[in-house]
Amino acid sequence: LSQFEPYQEKFEEVISSKYANETEKLFYLCKKGHINLLKSLLQDSDDKNPQVDDKYTLMHCAAEHGQVDIVEYLVPLLDDKNPKAGPRKYETSDIHGEITPLFLGAWKGHLSIIECMAPYVRYDECVDTIRYLCMKGDLELLKPLLQLSGNNNPGDQDMYELLHCAAKHRQLNIVEYLVGAGTNHNET
């Protein structure tokens, strides 16, 4: 930590007064976006993506708080790039099902997180996120997930279901995009 010596005293004061254990320190650094300090603490750790009781991980924390540099750092280190956690209580609402970092990034409106994670997730790992964005009508966040590469693309049946979802929730922008993208809306 020699390169961080000027900040070490302030860091120790903030961390030690408020956060007791190593995991909480890591989550604090992640939430605040202190990537260099986080890297230095994780470099000798066997667990690059520690979690709390509900399986909420550093990747969840980084995605939720829009810390794209930390997501970019963690992605190559992790086998499971989009792990499930939850349910979890938030000030504005409860998320009753399992949540993924990708979903949290979408829920919080972080396009940079979606763009960073999209190449690393399979379509079947992001169906709930795609449906959420379809219902919400957020085309900007939806596009990177619909443009997954290779065999990870949604199939015709999936696209039809998304078209139906968008129409049901009166999201005309999504309907127009899906139809324009070649969705076969006559499929049964």
Side-chain angles (χ1 to χ4, degrees):
L1 288 177
S2 61
Q3 63 201 23
F4 304 108
E5 284 179 24
Y7 306 102
Q8 186 67 29
E9 187 176 315
K10 178 145 179 76
F11 167 72
E12 287 176 5
E13 177 185 324
V14 169
I15 295 296
S16 64
S17 66
K18 203 170 183 184
Y19 300 93
N21 66 43
E22 290 301 312
T23 301
E24 289 169 334
K25 290 176 187 179
L26 292 171
F27 276 88
Y28 174 83
L29 293 172
C30 184
K31 180 179 179 178
K32 297 297 185 183
H34 298 295
I35 188 164
N36 291 328
L37 289 171
L38 189 65
K39 281 180 180 180
S40 69
L41 292 173
L42 285 175
Q43 97 183 12
D44 295 327
S45 175
D46 291 335
D47 187 1
K48 303 296 186 203
N49 200 25
Q51 63 186 21
V52 292
D53 293 341
D54 65 355
K55 297 185 180 178
Y56 182 86
T57 65
L58 280 182
M59 181 66 96
H60 286 91
C61 182
E64 178 178 2
H65 295 285
Q67 302 297 349
V68 72
D69 292 342
I70 294 173
V71 170
E72 288 171 344
Y73 168 71
L74 290 173
V75 162
L77 302 176
L78 306 178
D79 291 332
D80 188 355
K81 315 231 185 272
N82 199 32
K84 293 180 179 178
R88 186 161 258 259
K89 188 169 185 77
Y90 286 89
E91 289 178 20
T92 57
S93 68
D94 291 347
I95 297 179
H96 298 285
E98 294 178 316
I99 54 174
T100 63
L102 186 68
F103 180 83
L104 284 171
W107 186 51
K108 296 290 187 157
H110 300 304
L111 178 61
S112 59
I113 298 296
I114 303 298
E115 291 173 336
C116 177
M117 292 188 72
Y120 300 99
V121 296
R122 295 185 321 268
Y123 177 76
D124 63 330
E125 294 177 324
C126 61
V127 171
D128 290 342
T129 304
I130 289 173
R131 285 191 184 127
Y132 166 76
L133 292 170
C134 202
M135 289 186 307
K136 186 179 172 189
D138 197 328
L139 185 57
E140 183 181 25
L141 294 177
L142 185 60
K143 280 182 180 179
L145 297 177
L146 292 177
Q147 298 167 350
L148 296 171
S149 62
N151 293 329
N152 290 326
N153 289 333
D156 288 341
Q157 183 63 35
D158 296 318
M159 291 298 274
Y160 173 76
E161 289 173 12
L162 292 177
L163 181 60
H164 178 75
C165 176
K168 178 181 174 184
H169 293 280
R170 300 178 182 190
Q171 300 298 345
L172 185 57
N173 63 331
I174 305 292
V175 171
E176 289 172 345
Y177 177 78
L178 293 173
V179 169
T183 303
N184 182 356
H185 56 277
N186 293 321
E187 192 176 287
T188 57

